[in-house]
Amino acid sequence: MSIDDPESDGRRQRTRRSREAMSDAAVELLLAHGLDGVTVEAVAERAGVTRRTFSRHFAGKEDAILAEFRENTARINDALRARPEAESPLLAYRAAVADWLAIEYTAADARLARHLELFRRVDGEPALFGAYQRIRVEAEAESVRVIAARLGVDPDHDPRPAVVVGAGAGTLVAALRAWARTGDPGALPALAERFFDALVGMLADPTGDVHPTSGNTRSTKVVNHP
């Protein structure tokens, strides 16, 4: 049967909808009742599936709650692969994050309030935070492989891909945590831009004093380069 067969495509769409329904149910239960109020049975019942179906898709309730986070990291890596080869690695990573935000998040997106509250819960719940960290580690390892391929190097011997991803991913997490503190669902794209501006500014002038002013970052020292 061809991969483009309508029957196969319909089956994939049903599987995707079922998975999304289970993830949505898990998040809704978390936000309504806390992590202790989320059970596999409750998620399956809310999503209209069997427990066996749930277990085919998710390793546990934390996995279901964080399914969209995992998908977002995959989308960032997809965007990273699609960036022009001429871009420097750090610029490519920053642009990939911007591409993801432009597609997935806008100020008018009704999902943002829920995503903001979910991230706040993850940051304060040890079991969810540990699961989130595992997702991050896996995603960053893939990002390192993508950057290494762009540079044509072996990441086991050349530290540059890991350094770029560590800096870029760390900056994104810092922006996400700042977003959680603001309580403003629509603030994420602007915050991500501001935090990446700060990173680039520090790399351009690592000896400069950087002070946030009016939502921007600026260096108070001017370095004369030969």
Side-chain angles (χ1 to χ4, degrees), residues 10 24 27 35 37 51 55 67 86 92 116 122 126 143 150 171 176 179 208:
D24 286 344
V27 172
L35 187 59
R51 195 185 194 289
S55 299
L116 173 59
V122 168
S143 296
R150 290 175 65 91
T171 298
L176 286 167
W179 178 50

Side-chain angles (χ1 to χ4, degrees), residues 79-97:
L80 182 58
R81 292 185 190 93
R83 296 305 306 172
E85 292 185 6
E87 285 180 341
S88 68
L90 184 56
L91 177 58
Y93 191 93
R94 175 182 183 168
V97 170

Side-chain angles (χ1 to χ4, degrees), residues 35-59:
L35 187 59
D36 289 341
V38 183
T39 65
V40 172
E41 290 76 14
V43 171
E45 181 180 357
R46 193 180 187 97
V49 301
T50 66
R51 195 185 194 289
R52 182 177 180 182
T53 297
F54 178 94
S55 299
R56 283 205 303 267
H57 290 274
F58 300 110

Side-chain angles (χ1 to χ4, degrees), residues 135-155:
I135 291 172
R136 277 193 58 202
V137 168
E138 293 170 6
E140 289 174 25
E142 179 61 19
S143 296
V144 168
R145 288 189 284 269
V146 175
I147 293 294
R150 290 175 65 91
L151 293 173
V153 300
D154 181 349

Side-chain angles (χ1 to χ4, degrees), residues 11-70:
R11 187 161 51 247
R12 286 194 296 271
Q13 291 297 326
R14 289 192 296 273
T15 298
R16 179 179 178 181
R17 286 194 297 269
S18 178
R19 182 180 174 85
E20 288 176 348
M22 287 183 281
S23 178
D24 286 344
V27 172
E28 289 164 3
L29 287 167
L30 171 75
L31 298 183
H33 306 294
L35 187 59
D36 289 341
V38 183
T39 65
V40 172
E41 290 76 14
V43 171
E45 181 180 357
R46 193 180 187 97
V49 301
T50 66
R51 195 185 194 289
R52 182 177 180 182
T53 297
F54 178 94
S55 299
R56 283 205 303 267
H57 290 274
F58 300 110
K61 62 183 184 180
E62 293 85 1
D63 192 28
I65 290 168
L66 299 176
E68 188 150 357
F69 284 176
R70 185 180 297 279

Side-chain angles (χ1 to χ4, degrees), residues 179-197:
W179 178 50
R181 292 193 297 272
T182 67
D184 179 1
L188 181 55
L191 276 171
E193 183 176 2
R194 180 184 175 192
F195 274 64
F196 274 100
D197 279 346

